[in-house]
Amino acid sequence: MKLSGMSFFQLASQRMSWLGARQAVISENIANADTPNYRAKEISSFDRMVQARTPTQGLAVTDAQHIQTTASAPAGVRVEADDSAWESALDGNNVVLEQQTIKSAEVAGSYRLAAELYRKGHELLTVAVTGIR
Protein backbone atom coordinates (compact mmCIF):
# COMPACT_ATOMS: atom_id res chain seq x y z
CA MET A 1 0.00 0.00 0.00
CA LYS A 2 1.35 3.40 -0.95
CA LEU A 3 0.91 5.81 1.99
CA SER A 4 1.67 8.97 0.01
CA GLY A 5 -1.52 8.51 -2.05
CA MET A 6 -3.74 8.77 1.04
CA SER A 7 -4.82 12.37 1.61
CA PHE A 8 -3.86 12.50 5.31
CA PHE A 9 -0.31 11.35 4.64
CA GLN A 10 -0.01 13.56 1.58
CA LEU A 11 -1.17 16.60 3.54
CA ALA A 12 1.21 15.88 6.43
CA SER A 13 4.07 15.45 3.96
CA GLN A 14 3.21 18.71 2.20
CA ARG A 15 3.06 20.49 5.55
CA MET A 16 6.54 19.24 6.45
CA SER A 17 7.87 20.36 3.04
CA TRP A 18 6.33 23.81 3.55
CA LEU A 19 7.83 24.06 7.04
CA GLY A 20 11.23 23.08 5.63
CA ALA A 21 10.99 25.82 3.01
CA ARG A 22 9.97 28.34 5.68
CA GLN A 23 12.91 27.33 7.86
CA ALA A 24 15.27 27.79 4.88
CA VAL A 25 13.99 31.34 4.32
CA ILE A 26 14.33 32.15 8.03
CA SER A 27 17.91 30.81 7.91
CA GLU A 28 18.67 33.06 4.94
CA ASN A 29 17.26 36.03 6.83
CA ILE A 30 19.51 35.25 9.79
CA ALA A 31 22.54 34.73 7.53
CA ASN A 32 21.94 38.16 5.97
CA ALA A 33 21.24 39.98 9.25
CA ASP A 34 24.29 42.24 8.77
CA THR A 35 24.02 42.70 5.00
CA PRO A 36 23.22 46.33 4.10
CA ASN A 37 19.88 46.84 2.30
CA TYR A 38 18.82 43.22 2.79
CA ARG A 39 15.08 42.92 3.29
CA ALA A 40 13.67 40.06 5.38
CA LYS A 41 11.66 37.49 3.46
CA GLU A 42 8.77 35.19 4.30
CA ILE A 43 7.00 32.47 2.33
CA SER A 44 3.37 32.32 1.30
CA SER A 45 0.89 30.58 3.56
CA PHE A 46 0.42 26.83 3.64
CA ASP A 47 -3.11 27.27 2.32
CA ARG A 48 -1.78 29.01 -0.79
CA MET A 49 0.76 26.25 -1.34
CA VAL A 50 -1.88 23.51 -1.17
CA GLN A 51 -4.20 25.38 -3.54
CA ALA A 52 -1.48 26.36 -6.03
CA ARG A 53 -1.01 24.26 -9.12
CA THR A 54 2.03 25.84 -10.78
CA PRO A 55 5.58 25.74 -9.44
CA THR A 56 7.27 29.03 -8.64
CA GLN A 57 10.86 30.16 -8.53
CA GLY A 58 12.93 30.43 -5.38
CA LEU A 59 14.47 33.56 -3.97
CA ALA A 60 15.64 36.31 -6.27
CA VAL A 61 19.06 37.67 -5.42
CA THR A 62 18.88 41.45 -5.48
CA ASP A 63 22.51 41.97 -4.52
CA ALA A 64 25.62 39.88 -5.21
CA GLN A 65 26.52 40.05 -1.48
CA HIS A 66 23.30 38.33 -0.37
CA ILE A 67 23.70 34.75 0.80
CA GLN A 68 21.42 32.52 -1.25
CA THR A 69 20.31 28.99 -0.60
CA THR A 70 20.80 26.26 -3.17
CA ALA A 71 17.54 24.55 -2.20
CA SER A 72 14.42 25.37 -4.13
CA ALA A 73 11.02 25.93 -2.59
CA PRO A 74 8.28 23.31 -3.05
CA ALA A 75 5.75 23.85 -5.82
CA GLY A 76 3.24 26.55 -4.95
CA VAL A 77 5.45 28.32 -2.38
CA ARG A 78 6.22 31.96 -3.07
CA VAL A 79 8.98 33.84 -1.29
CA GLU A 80 7.87 37.39 -0.57
CA ALA A 81 9.08 40.42 1.32
CA ASP A 82 8.28 40.18 5.03
CA ASP A 83 5.99 43.10 5.80
CA SER A 84 5.82 42.17 9.48
CA ALA A 85 9.46 43.06 10.24
CA TRP A 86 9.68 44.81 13.58
CA GLU A 87 12.19 47.49 12.64
CA SER A 88 14.71 48.63 10.08
CA ALA A 89 18.33 49.59 10.64
CA LEU A 90 20.01 52.70 9.26
CA ASP A 91 21.73 50.59 6.58
CA GLY A 92 18.32 49.48 5.21
CA ASN A 93 18.40 45.97 6.67
CA ASN A 94 15.15 45.00 8.40
CA VAL A 95 16.11 41.57 9.81
CA VAL A 96 15.51 41.41 13.57
CA LEU A 97 17.24 38.35 15.01
CA GLU A 98 14.79 38.03 17.91
CA GLN A 99 11.84 37.94 15.49
CA GLN A 100 13.56 35.36 13.29
CA THR A 101 14.35 33.23 16.36
CA ILE A 102 10.68 33.26 17.38
CA LYS A 103 9.64 32.23 13.86
CA SER A 104 12.24 29.46 13.86
CA ALA A 105 10.91 28.10 17.17
CA GLU A 106 7.35 28.16 15.77
CA VAL A 107 8.49 26.19 12.73
CA ALA A 108 10.28 23.63 14.90
CA GLY A 109 7.18 23.09 17.03
CA SER A 110 4.92 22.81 13.99
CA TYR A 111 7.31 20.35 12.35
CA ARG A 112 7.34 18.15 15.46
CA LEU A 113 3.53 18.21 15.51
CA ALA A 114 3.24 17.27 11.81
CA ALA A 115 5.78 14.46 12.22
CA GLU A 116 3.94 13.13 15.27
CA LEU A 117 0.59 13.20 13.44
CA TYR A 118 2.18 11.35 10.53
CA ARG A 119 3.57 8.72 12.93
CA LYS A 120 0.24 8.33 14.75
CA GLY A 121 -1.57 7.92 11.43
CA HIS A 122 0.87 5.17 10.48
CA GLU A 123 0.31 3.45 13.84
CA LEU A 124 -3.46 3.66 13.36
CA LEU A 125 -3.17 2.07 9.92
CA THR A 126 -0.95 -0.68 11.32
CA VAL A 127 -3.49 -1.46 14.05
CA ALA A 128 -6.35 -1.43 11.54
CA VAL A 129 -4.57 -3.82 9.18
CA THR A 130 -2.94 -6.21 11.66
CA GLY A 131 -5.15 -5.80 14.72
CA ILE A 132 -1.98 -5.78 16.85
CA ARG A 133 -1.14 -2.82 19.04
Side-chain angles (χ1 to χ4, degrees):
M1 179 189 309
K2 189 173 179 183
L3 296 180
S4 64
M6 301 178 84
S7 63
F8 171 79
F9 293 104
Q10 185 178 18
L11 188 63
S13 180
Q14 287 176 343
R15 177 72 175 182
M16 289 190 282
S17 292
W18 178 81
L19 289 166
R22 185 164 187 230
Q23 188 66 38
V25 169
I26 292 168
S27 298
E28 285 183 37
N29 288 342
I30 292 171
N32 285 297
D34 291 330
T35 305
N37 296 318
Y38 181 82
R39 310 302 289 169
K41 303 210 178 354
E42 182 61 90
I43 64 171
S44 58
S45 69
F46 179 65
D47 295 341
R48 277 182 55 187
M49 183 192 107
V50 171
Q51 294 171 358
R53 298 284 186 239
T54 57
T56 58
Q57 294 178 320
L59 288 174
V61 177
T62 57
D63 189 307
Q65 295 177 340
H66 291 173
I67 300 171
Q68 182 180 6
T69 183
T70 56
S72 61
V77 173
R78 288 193 42 163
V79 179
E80 305 162 337
D82 186 3
D83 297 330
S84 67
W86 290 347
E87 62 187 39
S88 185
L90 292 175
D91 65 359
N93 187 311
N94 72 343
V95 175
V96 179
L97 291 177
E98 291 84 0
Q99 184 180 23
Q100 300 301 315
T101 302
I102 291 168
K103 288 181 180 184
S104 182
E106 289 172 358
V107 168
S110 295
Y111 195 90
R112 278 191 299 275
L113 175 63
E116 184 66 17
L117 287 172
Y118 196 94
R119 187 180 69 79
K120 288 292 185 181
H122 186 268
E123 286 178 8
L124 183 63
L125 262 178
T126 303
V127 169
V129 171
T130 64
I132 301 171
R133 288 184 174 223

